[in-house]
Amino acid sequence: MTLPTLLVLDADPPPRLGRLTGRVRVEHADASTLAGRLPSADVLLVWDFTSHAVREAWPGEGPRPRWVHTASAGVDHLLCPELAASDTVVTNARGVFDQPIAEYVAALVLAFAKDLPRTLELQRERTWRHRESRRLAGTRACVVGSGPIGRAIVRTLDALGVTTALVGRAAGDGVHGPEDLDRLLARADWVVAAAPLTDGTRGMFDAHRFAVMQPSAYFVNVGRGQLVVEEALVRALRERVIAGAALDVFASEPLPGDSPLWEEPGLVVSPHMSGDTVGWRDELGAQFVELFELWEAGRPLVNVVDKQRGYVPGH
């Protein structure tokens, strides 16, 4: 029996695929070798989910894998017109990052409400300065992105007594449509971006959207860096259009050392880590193995991405 070929776009550390030993022939590629190895692969595992190599290599000559899985929630780094138009099935890591990201958002919201960044600054200065902080219960949040991550954020903030509104691509059960976004932003104390990157969401948080927000509002982005017009956010912070912000994702990653965002007052910068808890790579590997076993058995895959929309439909 001829074993199927699994091609892994590598990142360090590599995935643990021990359960698949003897059931698949595993090959490895990096950005420089991916294009040459795609034609011989039945399945592609995009373990290096920061790479754009798939988007660049896919349009080449020869057969292409029947299934591509990315070890990430977002798929914008790999989708290209040729892949979107093909019969190849694309799946993602939906479900692994939902609660960790929700907890990270809650931590940021609590830190802002309790003025923890300023407390740490004053401690470093050895300055005793009593202040008052905000009560979180009773405040309002607008969460943009109605997928599993957005819904987990809503549940977690609800548990802290925050009144939440969820905004998605279209209105539905418990979800507001885009037409309500400005109205909800104007009432929110906390605005959380957790949407996928699509043509409809790119640059959605621009000067207009920041101007709509309250001067006391805080903005958090755990979705995609390109959701935000970063220059507009910098102006909003410097002109005190909003009170503060936290970015875990950026238009360019890693964030260049000379970026003004590093030292922008009122901005918390973290290195795309909101979903990465201890053991997260093992979870991603185990998830892929479970999906592979479905594929191997000829059963329908879960987490199938709508390649035209750019995300897994369902909410």
Side-chain angles (χ1 to χ4, degrees):
M1 181 181 69
T2 302
L3 295 178
T5 297
L6 166 63
L7 181 62
V8 181
L9 180 59
D10 279 330
D12 189 39
R16 296 184 179 180
L17 304 174
R19 255 168 59 188
L20 300 183
T21 300
R23 297 158 62 182
V24 64
R25 185 161 62 94
V26 180
E27 295 185 352
H28 299 271
D30 58 20
S32 66
T33 60
L34 180 64
R37 295 183 178 176
L38 277 177
S40 63
D42 298 294
V43 179
L44 172 63
L45 169 57
V46 185
W47 190 246
D48 183 0
F49 51 80
T50 66
S51 172
H52 292 166
V54 176
R55 194 165 59 192
E56 296 163 1
W58 194 271
E61 297 294 328
R64 289 295 179 260
R66 292 171 284 162
W67 168 35
V68 173
H69 176 77
T70 179
S72 61
V75 297
D76 52 276
H77 61 291
L78 59 88
L79 282 183
C80 61
E82 292 81 3
L83 175 53
S86 73
D87 294 331
T88 296
V89 175
V90 175
T91 57
N92 73 352
R94 175 174 168 146
V96 172
F97 301 107
D98 305 355
Q99 190 56 36
I101 291 177
E103 293 171 3
Y104 199 88
V105 169
L108 288 168
V109 169
L110 280 165
F112 283 136
K114 303 308 176 185
D115 199 24
L116 292 185
R118 183 60 177 149
T119 294
L120 295 174
E121 290 176 6
L122 292 170
Q123 179 181 347
R124 285 192 292 269
E125 297 170 3
R126 298 175 180 263
T127 299
W128 181 279
R129 183 175 301 161
H130 182 270
R131 287 119 50 229
E132 296 176 345
S133 63
R134 299 175 69 176
R135 180 179 295 190
L136 193 58
T139 60
R140 296 176 180 270
C142 176
V143 179
V144 182
S146 60
I149 292 173
R151 290 173 182 265
I153 292 169
V154 166
R155 289 193 302 271
T156 303
L157 293 181
D158 281 346
L160 294 171
V162 179
T163 301
T164 55
L166 185 62
V167 179
R169 183 180 61 87
D173 184 21
V175 180
H176 295 268
E179 64 276 6
D180 292 336
L181 180 56
D182 284 359
R183 175 178 63 83
L184 294 170
L185 291 179
R187 303 173 60 191
D189 300 290
W190 321 102
V191 176
V192 182
L197 180 62
T198 67
D199 289 341
T201 62
R202 188 181 302 274
M204 68 184 302
F205 288 99
D206 55 10
H208 164 74
R209 290 272 156 69
F210 292 122
V212 167
M213 297 178 196
Q214 301 183 77
S216 59
Y218 288 82
F219 174 74
V220 176
N221 185 17
V222 290
R224 280 291 179 265
Q226 294 88 343
L227 300 178
V228 179
V229 179
E230 291 177 350
E231 296 81 2
L233 174 59
V234 168
R235 287 195 301 272
L237 291 169
R238 291 180 180 176
E239 297 171 9
R240 301 194 177 183
V241 174
I242 61 175
L247 300 179
D248 187 54
V249 287
F250 302 86
S252 177
E253 296 184 8
L255 187 64
D258 60 355
S259 170
L261 295 175
W262 286 110
E263 297 181 349
E264 189 61 39
L267 178 62
V268 174
V269 170
S270 58
H272 204 148
M273 58 178 283
S274 61
D276 301 346
T277 52
V278 175
W280 65 284
R281 291 184 180 88
D282 290 341
E283 290 185 55
L284 289 172
Q287 181 189 54
F288 174 74
V289 169
E290 291 174 3
L291 285 170
F292 185 90
E293 290 174 342
L294 291 176
W295 180 83
E296 183 182 43
R299 297 169 59 189
L301 291 168
V302 297
N303 289 5
V304 175
V305 173
D306 183 321
K307 293 183 291 182
Q308 303 306 316
R309 297 182 183 180
Y311 55 88
V312 178
H315 294 294

